[in-house]
Amino acid sequence: MLNDLMSYMTEERLLELLDRYRSFGPLPGILLTFLKSFVPPLPTLLIVGVNAAVYGLWAGFLYSWIGLVAGCMTTFLAVRAAAGHRIARRWAEKPKVQASMSWIRRNAFSYVFILSLFPVGPFVLVNMAAAVSRMGIARFFTAVAVGKGIMVLAVSYVGHDVGRFYRDPLQLLYVLLFVILSWYVCKRIEAKYMKAPEENKTGTLPA
């Protein structure tokens, strides 16, 4: 079934699908990106690019961003709630898992934010690791919202009019500079506002 779904995910079929259900407004575009958090093989680049092509740059960006962030938050909150289960606690007590969780706690914001910048990657595992390590909800949302926002805007900008990059390849340099600048700005924000002294002392994160 998954193979059938993946074979269906071509640019032409996605364009046809979104055009057919355009009467439902932004829901099809949001739902496609929302499903990415539960069906990892779905092609993020293709879906986000097609959203921008169908809905326009800014509307496509917004719908893709809402869907991706909502999917990440749903996965994170579900795993976070289940992390208190006896089996999950026993698994988390293993030395190797404890070492990994300790590292994630110290680098939680950067870990989630940087991996959110990439359009391909183990998004489900990132969300689950952050949840099991008890990363704060507000911190997780901020890291995902900003990271996904940068990634989606860059992909939407490319997908909105792919032809111009063939005509002027140097425009890709602007996308790269935008990502680098955004990463630097967010690191400054993290250093100033996101690092709580209590976290550094106790090694735990607020709920």
Side-chain angles (χ1 to χ4, degrees):
M1 183 176 178
L2 182 58
N3 290 334
D4 293 337
L5 177 62
M6 295 309 300
S7 64
Y8 182 85
M9 289 291 174
T10 64
E11 183 177 359
E12 294 75 17
R13 285 173 174 168
L14 282 177
L15 285 169
E16 179 185 350
L17 178 69
L18 290 178
D19 189 61
R20 181 187 306 170
Y21 294 102
R22 202 160 186 175
S23 59
F24 289 92
L27 287 179
I30 293 175
L31 181 61
L32 277 174
T33 47
F34 178 81
L35 288 175
K36 172 64 186 177
S37 292
F38 305 94
V39 188
L42 289 179
T44 307
L45 282 169
L46 179 59
I47 294 174
V48 173
V50 167
N51 269 353
V54 171
Y55 295 106
L57 174 59
W58 294 110
F61 157 74
L62 180 62
Y63 303 155
S64 295
W65 180 79
I66 290 173
L68 285 173
V69 173
C72 288
M73 289 302 301
T74 300
T75 306
F76 173 78
L77 292 173
V79 174
R80 201 172 192 269
H85 191 275
R86 177 173 53 85
I87 297 177
R89 288 199 305 269
R90 185 180 302 172
W91 173 79
E93 289 171 358
K94 294 182 179 180
K96 290 184 178 180
V97 176
Q98 282 286 319
S100 299
M101 292 302 102
S102 177
W103 183 88
I104 292 174
R105 288 188 183 102
R106 292 195 304 270
N107 303 277
F109 187 90
S110 296
Y111 169 78
V112 175
F113 169 71
I114 292 174
L115 292 179
S116 294
L117 286 172
F118 296 97
V120 294
F123 300 129
V124 176
L125 294 179
V126 171
N127 300 336
M128 292 175 65
V132 172
S133 68
R134 306 300 294 176
M135 181 178 180
I137 295 174
R139 289 167 64 85
F140 179 81
F141 174 79
T142 302
V144 166
V146 177
K148 294 295 185 189
I150 294 169
M151 182 273 288
V152 171
L153 184 57
V155 175
S156 298
Y157 180 71
V158 175
H160 175 60
D161 182 11
V162 176
R164 71 176 177 275
F165 294 97
Y166 291 102
R167 298 187 297 269
D168 184 11
L170 284 177
Q171 289 204 30
L172 284 172
L173 181 61
Y174 301 143
V175 177
L176 179 61
L177 290 174
F178 169 73
V179 172
I180 293 174
L181 178 62
S182 300
W183 174 82
Y184 173 77
V185 170
C186 200
K187 288 295 290 181
R188 298 291 295 178
I189 293 173
E190 178 194 8
K192 188 171 183 179
Y193 298 109
M194 299 302 296
K195 288 193 175 181
E198 292 78 11
E199 176 187 339
N200 295 330
K201 291 178 182 178
T202 65
T204 58
L205 288 167

